[in-house]
């Protein structure tokens, strides 16, 4: 029996330490043994400043492996209001820090011009850079037995012409999607994994520590290891309700151990 060494790296999303800040994410990721970080560009000024991010990366000797563009409702004004300008800035930041991937959400429905040109615009950007733009699966909202989709063309990137996709396992929980089926259908298009868990509470994006919900986090990681997945696994968990920093660190430690143990699939020699 020989152990297959996984080629995928495991990063910590800076969002996973909120309400602590981006520098704290670097410190904790380095201390706990993560392979790098994914920068969630948000309200924290440090997350928006590439000069400071480079200094943090150098100080902690920890690479920035991905940039999550500011696509959330709460980051509508971060890096300006033009969504294409945000993506271009995320691309430049990724190129500068050596990150392989920019994570991007589908456009909101009210971003009509952006939504109309989203697929062709991303295709043009891909021709200009080695950075991968990985479009993330989102989820519909539900109210009084009605389903509202705030994204265009859809919350689910599976049926659209996106060659690289981010699979988020908290989002599969809240959307009621069969995560293993989505994983299988994505095939080689899966470039990036947001590893988290959920139990499927409507309209609640839980981002639980993997193993604490009902998503097939372990089986998906094992399949990825068996397939030789060489993309990035990012722990994007919610620790904002941690009663103390010690509890937050325990959650981050547990999440990393879960990912490493399931990626370290064994194979017969």
């Amino acid at each position: 029996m020989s152990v297959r060494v996984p080629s995928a790296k495991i990063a910590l999303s800076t969002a996973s330490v909120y309400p602590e800040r981006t520098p704290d994410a670097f410190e904790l990721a380095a201390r706990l043994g993560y392979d790098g970080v994914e920068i969630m560009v948000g309200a924290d000024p440090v997350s928006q400043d590439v000069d400071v991010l480079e200094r943090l990366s150098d100080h902690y000797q920890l690479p920035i492996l991905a940039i999550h563009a500011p696509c959330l409702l709460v980051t509508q004004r971060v890096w300006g209001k033009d969504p294409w300008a945000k993506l271009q800035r995320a691309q430049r930041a990724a190129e500068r820090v050596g990150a392989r991937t920019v994570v991007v959400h589908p456009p909101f429905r009210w971003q009509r011009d952006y939504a109309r040109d989203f697929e062709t615009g991303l295709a043009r950007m891909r021709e200009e850079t080695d950075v991968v733009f990985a479009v993330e699966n989102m989820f519909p909202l539900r109210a009084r037995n009605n389903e509202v989709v705030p994204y265009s063309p859809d919350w689910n990137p599976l049926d659209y012409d996106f060659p690289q996709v981010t699979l988020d396992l908290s989002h599969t929980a809240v959307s009621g999607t069969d995560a293993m089926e989505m994983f299988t259908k994505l095939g080689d298009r899966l470039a990036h994994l947001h590893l988290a868990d959920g139990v499927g509470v409507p309209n609640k994006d839980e981002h639980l520590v993997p193993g604490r919900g009902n998503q097939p986090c372990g089986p998906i990681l094992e399949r990825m290891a068996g397939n030789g997945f060489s993309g990035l696994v990012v722990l994007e968990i919610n620790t904002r309700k941690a009663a103390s920093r010690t509890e937050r660190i325990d959650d981050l430690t547990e999440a990393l151990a879960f990912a490493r143990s399931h990626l370290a699939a064994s194979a017969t020699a």
Side-chain angles (χ1 to χ4, degrees):
M1 184 74 71
S2 64
V3 176
R4 178 184 293 120
V5 178
S7 54
K9 292 185 176 181
I10 304 173
L12 179 66
S13 168
T14 56
S16 297
V17 306
Y18 183 84
E20 295 191 57
R21 301 297 184 95
T22 303
D24 302 301
F26 275 90
E27 184 259 317
L28 290 174
R31 186 202 305 188
L32 298 177
Y34 282 81
D35 297 320
V37 296
E38 173 177 298
I39 303 298
M40 173 67 83
V41 180
D44 179 2
V46 171
S47 72
Q48 306 172 27
D49 191 324
V50 180
D51 290 333
V52 178
L53 293 174
E54 282 191 312
R55 290 199 293 272
L56 285 167
S57 179
D58 290 342
H59 176 75
Y60 287 104
Q61 291 296 289
L62 195 69
I64 298 170
L65 298 173
I67 302 288
H68 194 310
C71 311
L72 303 172
L73 279 174
V74 295
T75 59
Q76 290 280 294
R77 297 180 180 275
V78 172
W79 282 357
K81 292 187 284 186
D82 180 351
W84 285 118
K86 291 172 184 274
L87 276 192
Q88 290 161 357
R89 191 162 174 178
Q91 174 189 325
R92 292 194 298 270
E95 290 169 341
R96 182 166 159 188
V97 302
R100 171 185 176 183
T101 304
V102 167
V103 177
V104 58
H105 292 178
F108 291 112
R109 282 198 170 278
W110 56 85
Q111 297 173 311
R112 291 183 178 87
D113 293 342
Y114 179 48
R116 184 181 59 247
D117 297 332
F118 187 59
E119 290 182 73
T120 55
L122 276 186
R124 284 196 302 270
M125 291 181 72
R126 284 194 299 269
E127 293 174 357
E128 300 168 358
T129 182
D130 291 331
V131 172
V132 169
F133 296 92
V135 181
E136 187 170 359
N137 63 301
M138 299 304 292
F139 49 87
L141 302 176
R142 293 182 173 87
R144 297 182 179 178
N145 298 320
N146 293 319
E147 185 174 280
V148 178
V149 179
Y151 302 99
S152 180
D154 196 15
W155 61 266
N156 185 351
L158 191 61
D159 295 328
Y160 295 89
D161 189 23
F162 304 126
Q164 288 92 23
V165 172
T166 295
L167 176 60
D168 186 302
L169 296 179
S170 177
H171 295 175
T172 56
V174 71
S175 66
T177 303
D178 184 324
M180 184 59 79
E181 181 181 10
M182 179 177 279
F183 167 80
T184 302
K185 287 182 175 179
L186 282 172
D188 292 341
R189 296 170 62 200
L190 178 62
H192 202 76
L193 180 71
H194 276 169
L195 181 59
D197 216 332
V199 297
V201 178
N203 303 329
K204 187 174 182 182
D205 190 13
E206 298 167 283
H207 285 274
L208 303 178
V209 172
R212 297 184 186 176
N214 58 20
Q215 296 302 287
C217 299
I220 282 178
L221 288 170
E222 291 162 13
R223 288 271 299 273
M224 290 168 66
N227 295 343
F229 178 75
S230 59
L232 190 61
V233 174
V234 178
L235 271 302
E236 191 183 65
I237 63 172
N238 184 347
T239 66
R240 70 186 64 188
K241 292 184 178 179
S244 64
R245 195 167 205 250
T246 298
E247 186 175 311
R248 174 169 295 112
I249 290 170
D250 288 345
D251 285 349
L252 299 176
T253 301
E254 180 182 333
L256 178 60
F258 183 99
R260 290 218 187 280
S261 64
H262 285 281
L263 279 174
S266 61
T268 303

